[in-house]
Amino acid sequence: MQPGYGASAPLSGGGMQARAPGSVFTPGKRRRINLVAICANIFMPWFVFCGIFAGMSFSLHYQKPILAWLLVVLGLVATGAAGFLAMSAKKEGRDEMWYTFATIALLIASIAAAVFGDMNFWFNMQPFYDIENLNTYPSVNPAREKGQQLMDAGRVYFADGSGLDMRKAMGFKNLDLYCVAPIVHGEEQLASYDFWAVGVNCCSGVSSDFRCGEFNNPHARSGLRLMRDDQRPFFRLAVQQAEAAYNIKATHPLFFYWMQDPVAEMNAYRDDGFKYYLLGIFTHFAFNLFCTVVAVVGFSKIGRY
């Protein structure tokens, strides 16, 4: 009885070791969780993402773009530092898995923040900052004022009686359809049509119709300046077509989005910028948290917790 019992004990111990040599879930073999590494990999890439995303989205990018891009460089430097620590740990025989994970997470955070921050700035915050830094002109009469007098206009409130002359609308097609209609005062024939309402893909291009902005709002008689440099040449070509088709003159055309309340529209740019920033940082936190949880489970299965 006793020898048999003693002979079976080593078999049992060996069986347990063979079953789970390094698993953190093996009874009697539980390893300590590296909470510092886990927390660092949850929050550090997220902090990097938040900082770069903010720098690329908001006023720093507008006023000092070099500093905004320097934040991206610093994020990549942090990525390189994590990669260096991973290689050093591997050479020294230490566990490098969390350093490797941090390298990948920081790289994703830096690149994603730079790309999405630049997009948020381009589509939302830059138009807001541009218009905010320009002048506001009240009671502008298109029949009396010239475009050269309002070169620095960002928001223009036209005089009572001003509106769109739909009969002189025109469209120019270059992939998209660039639509223009002159802003006039009453039925007067103007010496120079320098104020134009604009929009993209909101007219037929073959007839004098214009359905851009608040074209059907009887209370609309204001304009928010077009700030897209990439679109301006195409609107200028549409005006040139209108000049030839209707035998009119536009010496120095200025382009506006036709609306009732330019301030509300301008603030909508800013609100969208902040909304997409908050959406971005919470989305990245959820994504990074998910990746970290997957890494914890994966590392535990290979015994490198």
Side-chain angles (χ1 to χ4, degrees):
M1 287 290 293
Q2 190 66 24
Y5 178 80
S8 64
L11 267 175
S12 175
M16 287 187 63
Q17 290 174 2
R19 182 170 67 246
S23 175
V24 72
F25 300 112
T26 302
K29 294 287 184 178
R30 186 177 300 275
R31 300 176 62 186
R32 178 171 296 181
I33 297 175
N34 193 343
L35 288 177
V36 174
I38 294 173
C39 291
N41 279 281
I42 290 174
F43 292 105
M44 186 170 60
W46 185 61
F47 291 152
V48 169
F49 181 88
C50 292
I52 295 176
F53 196 18
M56 292 297 294
S57 292
F58 301 124
S59 58
L60 181 67
H61 193 175
Y62 188 79
Q63 297 172 354
K64 297 179 180 179
I66 294 178
L67 291 182
W69 284 105
L70 182 60
L71 288 177
V72 179
V73 173
L74 291 176
L76 295 176
V77 169
T79 302
F84 176 78
L85 290 174
M87 290 188 296
S88 299
K90 187 173 183 179
K91 288 180 181 179
E92 296 172 4
R94 295 184 289 113
D95 191 355
E96 82 284 359
M97 297 300 289
W98 280 118
Y99 289 121
T100 303
F101 179 87
T103 302
I104 298 172
L106 287 170
L107 182 63
I108 293 173
S110 299
I111 295 177
V115 172
F116 292 115
D118 193 48
M119 291 175 60
N120 191 28
F121 176 77
W122 174 253
F123 288 108
N124 295 308
M125 299 310 300
Q126 185 177 21
F128 170 75
Y129 292 133
D130 284 341
I131 295 169
E132 188 180 44
N133 289 328
L134 293 175
N135 263 335
T136 301
Y137 288 91
S139 303
V140 173
N141 188 333
R144 298 177 184 174
E145 308 289 345
K146 299 184 182 300
Q148 290 175 323
Q149 296 176 269
L150 281 75
M151 290 286 292
D152 61 345
R155 287 165 287 173
V156 172
Y157 298 88
F158 293 97
D160 290 337
S162 299
L164 303 179
D165 188 350
M166 301 295 189
R167 298 167 300 178
K168 296 182 177 64
M170 183 59 67
F172 176 82
K173 187 171 181 62
N174 181 40
L175 298 180
D176 290 316
L177 193 58
Y178 296 86
C179 310
V180 297
I183 302 171
V184 298
H185 188 266
E187 299 294 326
E188 298 181 51
Q189 182 73 20
L190 306 186
S192 179
Y193 291 79
D194 286 348
F195 302 95
W196 294 79
V198 299
V200 178
N201 298 325
C202 48
C203 62
S204 65
V206 295
S207 60
S208 299
D209 69 324
F210 184 84
R211 302 182 301 276
C212 307
E214 300 180 30
F215 73 99
N216 57 351
N217 182 354
H219 302 290
R221 55 180 178 85
S222 304
L224 191 67
R225 184 78 171 269
L226 170 75
M227 303 305 300
R228 292 282 297 273
D229 291 334
D230 59 321
Q231 294 181 345
R232 190 174 292 110
F234 299 113
F235 287 123
R236 185 69 180 93
L237 290 172
V239 170
Q240 290 175 358
Q241 286 188 172
E243 289 180 280
Y246 306 121
N247 194 27
I248 58 177
K249 184 179 180 181
T251 306
H252 199 286
L254 301 179
F255 303 118
F256 299 90
Y257 297 110
W258 185 251
M259 62 189 64
Q260 180 179 352
D261 190 354
V263 174
E265 184 68 20
M266 186 181 74
N267 290 338
Y269 282 118
R270 180 197 59 194
D271 295 342
D272 285 345
F274 282 105
K275 179 180 70 176
Y276 287 121
Y277 175 75
L278 292 175
L279 178 64
I281 62 174
F282 287 123
T283 300
H284 179 267
F285 182 81
F287 168 77
N288 193 62
L289 179 62
F290 172 78
C291 291
T292 305
V293 171
V294 170
V296 169
V297 174
F299 295 166
S300 71
K301 289 184 179 297
I302 62 176
R304 305 181 71 174
Y305 203 87

